[in-house]
Amino acid sequence: MKSMESNGRHVPRLVVIGGGTGLAVMLRGLKQYAVDITAIVTVADDGGSSGRLRSDMRMPPPGDIRNVLVALADTEPLLEKMLQYRFQNGNGLAGHNLGNLIIAAMMEITGDFTHAIQEVSRVLAVRGRVLPSTNQDVVLGAEMEDGSVVKGESRIPRSGKKIHRVFLDPPEPKPVQDAIEAIQQADGIVIGPGSLYTSILPNLLVKGVTDAIRLSQGKKIYICNVMTQAGETDDFTAADHLAAIYAHVGDNIFDVAIVNDKLPPPLIQEQYALEGATTVLPDVEAIKDLGCDVLVADLLQYQSVLRHDAVRLSHYIVELVQGCHSES
């Protein structure tokens, strides 16, 4: 396995794959460790500012990329607040996010989405690399259990129907080669947390990504969500999440799943129940039946919303990856 060297010590190469808020939260913890991070981020979003830029400029949506850049950036709090600022007024400007507009401007300057991300990363002193899983304009679709088809990432959870499978249009878009090479060279590959069907699977459905993961010698880790997502993973257990991934891209991908076993206070559970969300059940034996080891721990952190405790989660990830390297 290949690793970087720092003062004579191995620096593990860590690839994280996903999208959405959960990925950004985890990266804030991981960047505090001596690891070389490459984040591979979904480009299936079609809502809000990202959706408008995608339609107007025929570019991949920048929203999830922006969140990851900000999470990994070495910036002052005021600059971070500015990058995440969403305009409230202005004809054509209201609803747009400043960070999204900066990425869009850089794409026009450089002529390439991945190059634009690299340049914005340099300006923000990002700790690691941020890559889209594909540069192609892809649309996420879902075949529902009743046979109907819903197209558009933002529309799928709102359909009111149970998802049978998701797919990309065009199917198997061409991957970003740097992303494939990062996976091949990784000491650890972390998938999740994030929306199962709309953040995780769109990356794995890009041509060559899952094959590269399966062939990699790195430790392959799945981070299970702490809560179900209404309209997407209603009543799913931890094993159900894994089984859905395997149904789409084949089994035997992950070496270990990290699963939360802490229940939030009853009042918080009641608040989430109003949104149709419940705690994901850590059905450990069912996960093991899928050929995956399990690390179970209290991973909850509650501020205004329930999230993974980024510090604790990052500690477990780094321990697993360093353990894998010491055995290799």
Side-chain angles (χ1 to χ4, degrees):
M1 233 181 289
K2 301 176 182 178
S3 291
M4 297 177 66
E5 295 282 342
S6 177
N7 297 323
R9 292 168 51 189
H10 289 290
V11 177
R13 298 184 187 218
L14 195 62
V15 170
V16 295
I17 302 174
T21 307
L23 180 64
V25 168
M26 180 180 70
L27 287 170
R28 289 180 186 275
L30 282 174
K31 76 176 182 180
Q32 305 304 323
Y33 286 83
V35 291
D36 177 50
I37 299 172
T38 298
I40 300 173
V41 186
T42 181
V43 288
D45 187 13
D46 66 351
S49 172
S50 284
R52 289 165 60 189
L53 288 170
R54 176 177 184 165
S55 175
D56 292 345
M57 298 183 64
R58 307 308 302 169
M59 64 177 287
D64 284 338
I65 295 279
R66 181 199 77 242
N67 281 326
V68 169
L69 286 170
V70 171
L72 288 174
D74 190 8
T75 59
E76 295 295 327
L78 185 59
L79 178 57
E80 178 177 332
K81 189 174 183 180
M82 184 179 75
L83 290 167
Q84 297 286 39
Y85 180 74
R86 194 173 298 278
F87 291 93
Q88 304 301 314
N89 302 293
N91 185 22
L93 192 58
H96 270 307
N97 179 284
L98 180 59
N100 289 353
L101 295 177
I102 290 172
I103 295 170
M106 191 63 79
M107 193 192 82
E108 291 232 315
I109 291 168
T110 63
D112 177 77
F113 187 59
T114 299
H115 191 192
I117 296 166
Q118 291 170 349
E119 290 302 311
V120 174
S121 297
R122 184 177 58 80
V123 170
L124 297 178
V126 165
R127 300 183 190 179
R129 284 193 305 169
V130 181
L131 299 168
S133 51
T134 179
N135 272 323
Q136 287 184 240
D137 184 16
V138 296
V139 175
L140 182 67
E143 179 188 344
M144 316 312 278
E145 289 205 337
D146 66 358
S148 62
V149 172
V150 178
K151 288 198 172 182
E153 180 268 346
S154 61
R155 296 180 60 215
I156 292 168
R158 301 199 305 263
S159 69
K161 299 177 180 180
K162 190 172 177 62
I163 299 168
H164 172 60
R165 70 178 182 98
V166 291
F167 58 91
L168 296 178
D169 184 15
E172 295 194 321
K174 184 178 179 181
V176 170
Q177 188 57 35
D178 283 352
I180 297 296
E181 291 175 2
I183 292 169
Q184 291 170 339
Q185 297 170 4
D187 295 300
I189 300 165
V190 180
I191 297 176
S195 300
L196 175 63
Y197 289 105
T198 53
S199 290
I200 303 299
L201 279 165
N203 291 299
L204 300 182
L205 293 172
V206 172
K207 183 178 178 63
V209 169
T210 300
D211 287 341
I213 294 169
R214 189 172 275 112
L215 293 172
S216 172
Q217 296 300 304
K219 191 81 167 181
K220 297 145 197 172
I221 304 167
Y222 176 66
I223 312 294
C224 188
N225 293 341
V226 296
M227 303 295 291
T228 62
Q229 185 172 351
E232 194 160 333
T233 55
D234 300 277
D235 302 318
F236 269 38
T237 66
D240 289 335
H241 285 74
L242 278 169
I245 292 173
Y246 288 174
H248 280 77
V249 297
D251 56 10
N252 297 321
I253 298 175
F254 302 111
D255 298 312
V256 60
I258 300 180
V259 182
N260 169 67
D261 67 348
K262 175 72 172 180
L263 284 174
L267 182 60
I268 296 173
Q269 291 186 57
E270 291 170 11
Q271 291 172 353
Y272 270 84
L274 295 175
E275 303 172 7
T278 59
T279 309
V280 174
L281 176 69
D283 48 347
V284 173
E285 293 306 317
I287 297 172
K288 289 180 179 178
D289 288 343
L290 292 171
C292 189
D293 291 334
V294 190
L295 192 161
V296 184
D298 172 7
L299 298 171
L300 281 188
Q301 185 175 65
Y302 181 75
Q303 293 172 340
S304 57
V305 292
L306 282 171
R307 297 276 186 237
H308 281 92
D309 184 316
V311 174
R312 196 174 302 162
L313 179 59
S314 298
H315 171 75
Y316 287 126
I317 291 169
V318 172
E319 274 201 337
L320 285 168
V321 173
Q322 288 178 333
C324 173
H325 181 80
S326 65
E327 293 166 8
S328 60

